[in-house]
Amino acid sequence: MEASVILPILKKKLAFLSGGKDRRSGLILTIPLCLEQTNMDELSVTLDYLLSIPSEKCKARGFTVIVDGRKSQWNVVKTVVLMLQKVTHFCFWKEKDRLGFEVILVSANKLTRYIEPCQLTEDFGGSLTYDHMDWLNKRLVFEKFTKESTSLLDELALINNGSDKGNQQEKERSVDLNFLPSVDPETVLQTGHELLSELQQRRFNGSDGGVSWSPMDDELLAQPQVMKLLDSLREQYTRYQEVCRQRSKRTQLEEIQQKVMQVVNWLEGPGSEQLRAQWGIGDSIRASQALQQKHEEIESQHSEWFAVYVELNQQIAALLNAGDEEDLVELKSLQQQLSDVCYRQASQLEFRQNLLQAALEFHGVAQDLSQQLDGLLGMLCVDVAPADGASIQQTLKLLEEKLKSVDVGLQGLREKGQGLLDQISNQASWAYGKDVTIENKENVDHIQGVMEDMQLRKQRCEDMVDVRRLKMLQMVQLFKCEEDAAQAVEWLSELLDALLKTHIRLGDDAQETKVLLEKHRKFVDVAQSTYDYGRQLLQATVVLCQSLRCTSRSSGDTLPRLNRVWKQFTIASEERVHRLEMAIAFHSNAEKILQDCPEEPEAINDEEQFDEIEAVGKSLLDRLTVPVVYPDGTEQYFGSPSDMASTAEHIRDRMKLVSLKRQQLRHPEIMATESS
């Protein structure tokens, strides 16, 4: 019978064991009757419960029952006494009485004759403290603990014994509700320790600080029973914890194994299929970027599984540090399998990322090179119409720079392309036996095709640059010829101007005049060379214009100017020669006459000779006053009027000497008289 079942009856305090003992160490059972009619059935139930509490040893010492009838009728007291007779399964202190026990009728103040005051409650003048509700609460706690601990011991024993059998099938089965106790062992143990602590405290310490017997001593609530239950619980709970630890470890190992297989199966299944489906490198920057974006999505999916791998690896490492010898091999095998698959997949992802990055760089260089070639080709397709040689040189320099830039770009493309080809050629067959030769061949053909196409385009541009360079060099030569031809015209004009302004003197005698004539002929040779040089340059411009299929800027201007200046120079030069020749003749004849030559008196006396000299002198003077008339009707004089006057004056002086000589020859007596 449990207190919780008859709790309402027990609360009525129809009877109670105060914990006091008589002089024979028998327990004192107190039945406090009251004014109200006592329910005998409830009293019987209360007595049955109370008399079931003491141990067999305690029961053997008998009981002393105090029936307190001070507040009740006598017939009720008798009924209670008779009812005690029926409790035959308990050992009362027996006397030779028909009731089977001794009945003593005594007043309350005389109880101390039979029972020590310290074993009596305050109701009977004693000093023993008793709190019925406190006893009842502790009794409920004790019974609850006893019931729970007993049930828990059975459950733990069942679990522990089942685990000790070592059934392999049991070990492989995951923990479920059937392996969990119905109550928390920690809670039961805590309750037991608190109960034991309370029992021990109430056993040796009274409420007033003195020593007294409490109603919860070892004979009432079986303190040793609590201690025994606690010891058994601790033992079984320790075994249970070990069983749970082993099962938890096994469960954790199975969960890790399951997660490892999930990671491995995904990486070797869908993950590898995603990578096998992505083998191209794209044919442009945009295509490569699209493939990179797709690869980033694949990496994002892989990163989730790699995070699981990191977590699992940490869990496995922790188990390896604290694991049993029998689990080390399996854990290391799982760790190795997981690491191999993850590292292999990570290597494949990294290879694919590097390949796409290399392809993107290759296509970027190819696009830049293509734009450079387009720009160079556009420049070559535009017809050149430079203004001068400097602009042509600038254009040539720009062409050379662009061609050099194209060479550098093509070299960079080759390097990127070769690096990409090396990556493709070094690609391992990570597709688990799948032959990637066909896919790689398409990528290789594309790369080589791009490089060959760029090489051909560059070669065509180089050929066009060579043609353009030759054309521009011819144009430079044309401009040079035109400039030099114009310079020749300028030089010839300067020679003509010098001829007219500085070549004036006719000499003071025949010898000097001959020297002037010789210098003039050399001067004419220089002018002739200048004219011939200009003609050659103009002929070269004609040839270059025919080669360049263009019209020379000097073809309608420089050549007529050159011919016109040369014609003017020729006319002026011939006039200069005539004057010098006439001056030589004049001076030569005059010098012959003026010289005293007695060997040839007949020659000197020739009148015709004097007439000729005079005629030549007059003709020369007349010629000095005549301008040079060019074909276009323009006129030009040699020197300034003062220069011409000085020259004419010298000739006139010579003519005067000749005339005087003539007079001397005609009238020698006159000349002699004058001289005397």
Side-chain angles (χ1 to χ4, degrees):
M1 184 181 300
E2 297 179 0
S4 58
V5 177
I6 59 173
L7 182 59
I9 298 176
L10 293 177
K11 287 182 177 181
K12 294 179 179 181
K13 198 179 178 181
L14 299 178
F16 62 90
L17 291 169
S18 64
K21 297 180 181 180
D22 56 19
R23 291 185 175 91
R24 298 182 299 270
S25 296
L27 294 177
I28 298 175
L29 175 63
T30 304
I31 302 176
L33 300 178
C34 57
L35 295 175
E36 299 177 357
Q37 184 67 32
T38 302
N39 189 324
M40 293 302 159
D41 293 334
E42 293 180 352
L43 179 59
S44 176
V45 171
T46 300
L47 292 175
D48 289 340
Y49 175 75
L50 292 176
L51 295 177
S52 67
I53 294 175
S55 63
E56 295 297 328
K57 182 179 178 181
C58 184
K59 291 177 182 179
R61 291 195 293 268
F63 292 86
T64 295
V65 181
I66 300 177
V67 181
D68 186 3
R70 290 176 295 177
K71 297 180 181 181
S72 180
Q73 298 177 359
W74 175 247
N75 59 347
V76 176
V77 174
K78 289 194 296 182
T79 303
V80 171
V81 172
L82 292 174
M83 184 184 65
L84 289 175
Q85 187 183 16
K86 300 178 181 179
V87 188
T88 57
H89 55 280
F90 293 111
C91 180
F92 286 89
W93 190 264
K94 297 186 174 147
E95 295 288 345
K96 293 180 181 180
D97 189 271
R98 61 183 182 86
L99 294 176
F101 54 86
E102 181 182 6
V103 179
I104 301 175
L105 184 62
V106 65
S107 60
N109 56 2
K110 294 182 180 181
L111 277 177
T112 55
R113 297 179 182 179
Y114 304 95
I115 302 174
E116 296 295 333
C118 64
Q119 300 298 320
L120 293 173
T121 62
E122 295 177 353
D123 295 336
F124 302 106
S127 60
L128 182 62
T129 302
Y130 174 75
D131 186 343
H132 183 70
M133 292 306 299
D134 181 68
W135 172 85
L136 183 58
N137 291 333
K138 293 298 184 293
R139 185 65 191 177
L140 291 173
V141 173
F142 170 76
E143 289 184 355
K144 179 182 179 182
F145 167 73
T146 303
K147 180 180 179 182
E148 290 180 351
S149 59
T150 303
S151 175
L152 182 59
L153 282 173
D154 295 338
E155 293 176 358
L156 292 178
L158 178 62
I159 296 174
N160 295 335
N161 294 336
S163 175
D164 291 340
K165 293 180 180 179
N167 191 315
Q168 185 65 26
Q169 182 178 1
E170 178 70 18
K171 284 187 178 182
E172 294 178 355
R173 186 174 61 181
S174 60
V175 176
D176 54 21
L177 294 177
N178 295 329
F179 287 89
L180 297 177
S182 58
V183 293
D184 182 20
E186 293 286 348
T187 303
V188 176
L189 283 172
Q190 182 178 0
T191 302
H193 284 296
E194 292 175 354
L195 177 61
L196 181 61
S197 177
E198 183 69 19
L199 290 176
Q200 292 174 345
Q201 182 178 5
R202 292 177 61 84
R203 171 68 176 79
F204 297 103
N205 298 320
S207 58
D208 56 354
V211 177
S212 65
W213 292 101
S214 75
M216 298 294 290
D217 62 357
D218 55 342
E219 293 181 337
L220 293 178
L221 294 180
Q223 180 176 331
Q225 182 181 357
V226 176
M227 297 177 64
K228 182 178 180 180
L229 286 174
L230 285 174
D231 292 340
S232 299
L233 276 176
R234 280 192 289 266
E235 179 183 358
Q236 291 294 334
Y237 183 54
T238 300
R239 291 181 57 194
Y240 170 74
Q241 285 180 318
E242 179 62 22
V243 170
C244 290
R245 190 185 69 82
Q246 293 293 334
R247 287 176 177 171
S248 176
K249 184 178 67 174
R250 188 64 194 176
T251 300
Q252 186 179 9
L253 184 61
E254 291 175 354
E255 291 177 354
I256 290 176
Q257 185 177 11
Q258 183 180 4
K259 290 181 179 179
V260 167
M261 294 312 299
Q262 288 178 352
V263 174
V264 170
N265 291 336
W266 190 90
L267 292 178
E268 292 183 345
S272 296
E273 287 297 330
Q274 289 178 348
L275 285 176
R276 279 196 292 266
Q278 299 292 319
W279 53 266
I281 61 173
D283 56 359
S284 63
I285 293 180
R286 181 175 298 179
S288 296
Q289 289 175 341
L291 290 174
Q292 273 192 333
Q293 184 176 2
K294 179 63 178 177
H295 183 72
E296 289 175 357
E297 295 176 358
I298 295 176
E299 283 186 331
S300 177
Q301 296 181 16
H302 278 76
S303 63
E304 298 177 0
W305 291 96
F306 288 154
V308 177
Y309 156 71
V310 173
E311 181 181 356
L312 288 175
N313 198 34
Q314 293 175 351
Q315 294 179 3
I316 293 175
L319 290 177
L320 286 174
N321 292 332
D324 298 332
E325 292 294 333
E326 60 182 10
D327 299 329
L328 291 179
V329 176
E330 184 176 2
L331 285 172
K332 289 182 178 180
S333 176
L334 285 174
Q335 189 180 42
Q336 187 64 40
Q337 181 185 12
L338 183 62
S339 298
D340 291 343
V341 174
C342 289
Y343 280 120
R344 182 171 61 247
Q345 200 75 358
S347 299
Q348 297 165 12
L349 288 170
E350 183 180 6
F351 171 82
R352 176 64 179 168
Q353 177 63 32
N354 294 336
L355 184 66
L356 289 176
Q357 182 62 34
L360 182 62
E361 294 176 358
F362 172 77
H363 288 127
V365 174
Q367 179 174 301
D368 293 340
L369 179 59
S370 179
Q371 292 175 354
Q372 293 177 2
L373 288 171
D374 290 341
L376 180 59
L377 182 62
M379 184 176 179
L380 293 172
C381 291
V382 177
D383 194 13
V384 181
D388 51 27
S391 61
I392 292 179
Q393 292 293 344
Q394 185 67 26
T395 305
L396 277 175
K397 182 179 179 182
L398 182 60
L399 275 177
E400 296 296 339
E401 290 177 353
K402 285 185 173 294
L403 189 59
K404 184 177 180 180
S405 177
V406 167
D407 287 335
V408 174
L410 184 59
Q411 182 62 30
L413 181 67
R414 289 171 180 166
E415 293 176 358
K416 294 294 183 181
Q418 188 60 46
L420 188 55
L421 290 174
D422 292 342
Q423 281 187 280
I424 294 176
S425 63
N426 293 332
Q427 179 181 3
S429 181
W430 46 261
Y432 305 107
K434 179 182 178 182
D435 188 8
V436 296
T437 305
I438 298 178
E439 291 83 351
N440 285 343
K441 185 176 183 305
E442 293 183 9
N443 294 331
V444 170
D445 292 343
H446 169 69
I447 296 169
Q448 293 177 345
V450 170
M451 291 193 294
E452 291 173 359
D453 178 63
M454 293 299 172
Q455 178 63 39
L456 291 176
R457 291 178 61 185
K458 187 239 181 189
Q459 186 62 47
R460 287 196 295 268
C461 287
E462 284 182 340
D463 295 341
M464 295 179 68
V465 167
D466 292 339
V467 174
R468 178 58 58 86
R469 185 186 297 112
L470 178 60
K471 183 177 181 180
M472 288 189 170
L473 291 176
Q474 289 179 340
M475 295 183 71
V476 171
Q477 188 176 5
L478 173 61
F479 287 143
K480 182 65 176 174
C481 289
E482 290 178 345
E483 292 175 0
D484 291 348
Q487 185 64 47
V489 174
E490 294 296 327
W491 288 343
L492 196 57
S493 298
E494 292 175 358
L495 292 174
L496 175 60
D497 188 61
L499 175 62
L500 293 173
K501 292 182 179 180
T502 61
H503 292 212
I504 301 170
R505 294 184 68 253
L506 297 179
D508 295 337
D509 52 33
Q511 184 62 34
E512 184 181 1
T513 304
K514 288 180 180 179
V515 172
L516 290 175
L517 180 59
E518 184 63 27
K519 289 183 177 179
H520 177 73
R521 286 173 178 167
K522 292 181 179 179
F523 183 76
V524 172
D525 290 340
V526 172
Q528 182 67 50
S529 299
T530 303
Y531 172 72
D532 293 340
Y533 176 65
R535 292 279 299 184
Q536 292 173 2
L537 290 174
L538 291 174
Q539 289 176 358
T541 59
V542 173
V543 175
L544 290 173
C545 286
Q546 291 175 352
S547 176
L548 295 172
R549 297 179 182 179
C550 66
T551 302
S552 173
R553 297 176 299 177
S554 61
S555 60
D557 180 26
T558 307
L559 182 59
R561 287 177 55 215
L562 179 64
N563 290 332
R564 182 174 64 255
V565 174
W566 175 246
K567 185 65 176 177
Q568 293 174 352
F569 183 86
T570 302
I571 294 173
S573 176
E574 290 176 353
E575 179 63 25
R576 173 67 174 169
V577 170
H578 289 322
R579 293 184 181 187
L580 288 173
E581 288 177 347
M582 290 177 67
I584 291 173
F586 172 75
H587 286 300
S588 296
N589 292 331
E591 289 174 357
K592 288 180 181 180
I593 293 174
L594 294 176
Q595 289 178 355
D596 189 7
C597 297
E599 298 86 10
E600 299 178 357
E602 66 283 357
I604 297 176
N605 296 328
D606 189 356
E607 290 290 334
E608 294 180 359
Q609 200 170 19
F610 283 98
D611 293 337
E612 182 180 354
I613 291 174
E614 185 178 359
V616 172
K618 290 181 179 180
S619 297
L620 184 57
L621 289 174
D622 292 339
R623 195 141 195 162
L624 289 176
T625 60
V626 176
V628 179
V629 180
Y630 296 140
D632 57 358
T634 59
E635 297 178 352
Q636 186 70 41
Y637 290 93
F638 279 93
S640 62
S642 60
D643 293 335
M644 288 191 297
S646 176
T647 302
E649 184 65 25
H650 180 71
I651 294 173
R652 289 190 186 96
D653 291 341
R654 181 57 66 94
M655 288 178 66
K656 287 179 180 181
L657 292 176
V658 172
S659 177
L660 181 61
K661 185 68 176 177
R662 185 176 185 179
Q663 291 178 4
Q664 288 178 354
L665 291 176
R666 287 180 180 179
H667 308 284
E669 64 281 4
I670 298 174
M671 296 302 297
T673 301
E674 291 178 357
S675 62
S676 61

